[in-house]
Amino acid sequence: MIMGVKDMGNNPVKIINQAKLSILQGDITRQTTDTIVNAANSSLMGGGGVDGAIHRAGGPAILEECIQIVSLQGRLPSGQAVITNAGNMKSKHVIHTVGPIWHGGKQGEADLLASAYRESLQLAAENNLSSISFPSISTGAYSYPLDEASRIALKTVASFLSATTSIKEVVFVLFDSRTFDAYTTALREITGDK
Ligand code: ADP
């Protein structure tokens, strides 16, 4: 069951099963959800975009844990996720996932993008974390078309929430107005609102 409601700030909000799914424009490093998600690359060594912002805001403790993870299990394949501390940020954890690089859409990109969201949610649930913030995975340096990526992101989260009750809150924290508008439109489409 998906119900539309409005919150105080007029950000789009939906209730799915027992969870709140919302969209806002902002900086994910400032979120207070139990965990935030990083759109990392396979090296887990930091980079540009949201990855750089998270490592800058969190400080060196995050990279230290990433280095340990890579030394134990190697590079993180696209579509998978791992969890670390969040250093100096308010959130307690960072879930690092790797979205697909867009190569035209015929190299499994849609499945890999859905997997990045699903594996992140699964990892949060396994760690008893009930609230999670996502950036728009793959739509920056990885060039995934925004309209398609936003639909996949929201559909994947909505279907996960329909089947699980441990996660109570999912927030999409979108950096720029173009991305915020695309997710707002996609949420309306998916939930059938005008
Ligand atoms: P990818 O390599 O997966 O495409 P990017 O970091 O290049 O990842 O871009 C993903 C999205 O994250 C883009 O929409 C970008 O504008 C956004 N972004 C950059 N910095 C932040 C931030 N501090 N908080 C939230 N989103 C951010």
Side-chain angles (χ1 to χ4, degrees):
M1 181 187 53
I2 302 182
M3 270 179 354
V5 293
K6 272 198 172 148
D7 77 350
M8 311 254 290
N10 264 339
N11 288 315
V13 179
K14 300 282 164 191
I15 304 297
I16 300 176
N17 207 357
Q18 294 169 27
K20 180 175 149 189
L21 168 60
S22 61
I23 296 176
L24 57 86
Q25 194 177 338
D27 178 352
I28 201 165
T29 66
R30 304 175 71 85
Q31 296 307 305
T32 57
T33 46
D34 294 338
T35 185
I36 63 172
V37 175
N38 182 16
N41 58 60
S42 290
S43 76
L44 294 183
M45 291 301 112
V50 70
D51 195 4
I54 285 173
H55 282 282
R56 272 195 303 280
I62 302 175
L63 189 60
E64 277 168 29
E65 217 180 328
C66 286
I67 290 169
Q68 282 174 14
I69 290 169
V70 173
S71 73
L72 285 172
Q73 67 183 61
R75 292 166 65 87
L76 184 66
S78 178
Q80 296 188 21
V82 295
I83 188 166
T84 67
N85 71 83
N88 303 322
M89 289 182 288
K90 285 193 181 128
S91 187
K92 293 282 174 289
H93 303 274
V94 178
I95 290 176
H96 305 259
T97 190
V98 182
I101 299 172
W102 179 256
H103 290 296
K106 294 192 173 140
Q107 297 191 33
E109 290 96 330
D111 287 345
L112 288 169
L113 186 61
S115 174
Y117 283 101
R118 215 168 27 240
E119 293 292 317
S120 298
L121 291 160
Q122 186 61 40
L123 197 50
E126 282 167 17
N127 284 275
N128 296 316
L129 306 176
S130 61
S131 59
I132 180 168
S133 297
F134 281 103
S136 177
I137 298 167
S138 284
T139 65
Y142 283 2
S143 304
Y144 207 117
L146 189 52
D147 288 356
E148 280 180 54
S150 56
R151 281 184 216 122
I152 291 169
L154 292 166
K155 274 188 190 165
T156 305
V157 170
S159 99
F160 188 94
L161 293 177
S162 301
T164 325
T165 51
S166 57
I167 294 183
K168 305 292 184 211
E169 185 179 11
V170 177
V171 187
F172 278 88
V173 183
L174 306 164
F175 206 49
D176 52 61
S177 59
R178 183 175 155 262
T179 307
F180 175 79
D181 290 347
Y183 277 74
T184 303
T185 303
L187 187 64
R188 277 199 208 107
E189 276 175 24
I190 286 162
T191 55
D193 289 1
K194 292 272 155 46

